[in-house]
Amino acid sequence: MEGIRATVPGGRGLGLGGWQSAHATGMLRGLLPKVLVVDDDSAVRMFLREALKPIAAHVAEAGDAASALEAVESGDFDVIVCDIWMEGATGLDLLAMAQQTRWDVGVIIVTGDVQPDIVIAALRMQASDFLLKPLTVEDVRGSVARTFERLLRSREARAYQGSLEASIQRRTHELEVTLSELESNYQMTLEALVAALDAREHETFAHSVRVRAYTRHLARQAGYPPALVPTLEQAALLHDIGKVAVADAILLKPAKLTPEEWVEIRKHSTAGEEILKRVPFLRPASSIVRHHHERYDGTGYPDGLAGAQIPLGARFFTVADTLDAMTSDRLYRKAPGFAAAREEIQRCSGEQFDPQIVELYLDIPAATWIEIRREATDTHSLAG
């Protein structure tokens, strides 16, 4: 941050830098870019906003990827300047979404932590540019101007091939067909993955379906961005997929596990992450799967994350998972029930669970959770 702040008061002169020629081309067309700045550091956002004001028609800002998604869904932007490392979804997740849904924007990736594999991944996902911190005014303006110029040329090329209305209709139809096919294929893949585990550990599928329904309801009540809900649902459904890597002798052992066996069981969260990272459309869910056994007080595993360090989706999940565990019968006990689950979740607020999510959960009547469970059970029965 010191390097970035140091460039602001100095206001480095623009001279006859390369950004001017690219920017001038846009000005000849009577256009200036609308820019969205995405960074979890407010000082960086302020610097970028002030640096871009002279060359932009409008500069908006977002503190995380989720807020950026909401802004893009409701706004009209030409260029997104986005940091990679942010709490929750990363800049690469946002870039992947931009590529998958074919946003008509240029995305510039910014980072202070240079990792070759990250740079390569960003370029493969068609990032327009890659800027390294500390930033300078000239670098930022030049990158935005060049990105906007390439975007204008791309738009002109598309307009040359046909009317804008025909192009939008064609692309919308193609997107609908593609998404429909992807949704069908994705659902089959998800069910096959969970069924593979269910074949070894009975009731896994039914448990996962219920936890997905509980997690989805909590997230929606909290105002979780709709664009991120599918990823959250995938993570909830596949949270235990890493158990396929656990030996049957441990996973299905009817007796109490030894300390050594618990070590092996706990590896399922990282194993699940590795499995999901190998499937491109499941990769965004892998972080939630990795951290679904973290505890709010930092005593969970595998990384001992605490508080807001734990992905928000994983914090929703832990409440939903406990709710289902305490309202489902096991071979060795009857379900304690919804009232007992409410007491346990309230008791562990601030230790195992995020207090704000617990408060949200407590505001929802037990009758609502019972109905959600019934609907999830019916859906699972029909699928079976």
Side-chain angles (χ1 to χ4, degrees), residues 18-67:
W19 74 269
Q20 286 186 313
S21 59
H23 180 55
T25 306
M27 290 181 64
L28 290 175
R29 294 183 174 91
L31 298 173
L32 290 176
K34 296 179 181 178
V35 184
L36 175 63
V37 172
V38 188
D39 199 297
D40 56 2
D41 189 324
S42 60
V44 175
R45 295 199 304 273
M46 180 177 67
F47 164 65
L48 291 171
R49 185 178 66 245
E50 295 302 316
L52 292 173
K53 274 185 178 179
I55 67 164
H58 174 65
V59 181
E61 60 181 79
D64 52 41
S67 299

Side-chain angles (χ1 to χ4, degrees), residues 9 22 44 62 74 85 90 107 148 227 233 296 303 307 321 333 345 362 364:
V44 175
S74 61
W85 304 118
T90 68
V107 181
F148 184 50
E233 291 182 342
Y296 196 76
D303 300 316
D321 187 47
R333 62 144 173 87
I345 291 172
L362 294 175
I364 300 172

Side-chain angles (χ1 to χ4, degrees), residues 53-314:
K53 274 185 178 179
I55 67 164
H58 174 65
V59 181
E61 60 181 79
D64 52 41
S67 299
L69 280 172
E70 292 182 325
V72 171
E73 289 176 351
S74 61
D76 179 20
F77 296 98
D78 301 300
V79 180
I80 299 175
V81 183
C82 183
D83 189 30
I84 286 185
W85 304 118
M86 298 179 291
E87 182 179 329
T90 68
L92 289 185
D93 293 331
L94 189 65
L95 178 59
M97 181 69 72
Q99 183 183 33
Q100 181 181 1
T101 57
R102 301 179 185 178
W103 290 347
D104 188 20
V105 297
V107 181
I108 300 170
I109 295 296
V110 181
T111 185
D113 181 14
V114 183
Q115 298 181 23
D117 57 333
I118 295 298
V119 176
I120 293 172
L123 294 177
R124 285 178 175 172
M125 287 189 283
Q126 300 180 0
S128 300
D129 205 348
F130 202 99
L131 296 177
L132 304 180
K133 297 178 181 178
L135 303 171
T136 67
V137 172
E138 185 174 6
D139 289 341
V140 172
R141 290 181 178 176
S143 180
V144 170
R146 290 190 300 271
T147 298
F148 184 50
E149 172 62 17
R150 287 194 294 269
L151 183 67
L152 290 178
R153 290 175 180 172
S154 175
R155 289 172 177 173
E156 289 173 354
R158 292 196 302 271
Y160 180 77
Q161 296 173 1
S163 69
L164 181 60
E165 181 179 356
S167 176
I168 291 176
Q169 290 177 346
R170 182 176 65 255
R171 293 181 64 195
T172 300
H173 175 70
E174 292 172 353
L175 182 60
E176 288 175 347
V177 172
T178 300
L179 290 177
S180 178
E181 293 175 350
L182 285 174
E183 183 177 359
S184 176
N185 292 334
Y186 288 177
Q187 187 60 34
M188 292 175 62
T189 301
L190 292 176
E191 291 180 359
L193 285 171
V194 182
L197 181 58
D198 192 65
R200 299 177 67 207
E201 191 179 24
H202 187 56
E203 278 296 305
T204 295
F205 203 163
H207 163 69
S208 297
V209 169
R210 293 191 299 267
V211 170
R212 177 179 62 181
Y214 294 149
T215 303
R216 177 175 56 229
H217 188 73
L218 271 173
R220 286 176 174 174
Q221 292 299 305
Y224 198 67
L228 297 181
V229 170
T231 293
L232 182 59
E233 291 182 342
Q234 290 165 358
L237 185 65
L238 298 172
H239 66 276
D240 274 341
I241 192 63
K243 287 184 178 179
V244 298
V246 179
D248 284 350
I250 297 175
L251 185 64
L252 306 178
K253 184 177 179 180
K256 184 178 180 180
L257 298 180
T258 66
E260 293 75 15
E261 289 170 337
W262 270 115
V263 170
E264 293 302 312
I265 280 286
R266 288 180 175 179
K267 291 180 181 178
H268 79 275
S269 58
T270 52
E273 178 195 33
E274 290 302 316
I275 292 172
L276 266 58
K277 285 170 65 176
R278 296 172 184 270
V279 184
F281 82 93
L282 294 176
R283 194 170 296 135
S286 64
S287 176
I288 297 175
V289 170
R290 177 185 180 90
H291 298 298
H292 75 274
H293 278 297
E294 303 284 2
R295 292 171 57 97
Y296 196 76
D297 61 7
T299 61
Y301 65 88
D303 300 316
L305 301 185
Q309 294 177 325
I310 305 171
L312 180 57

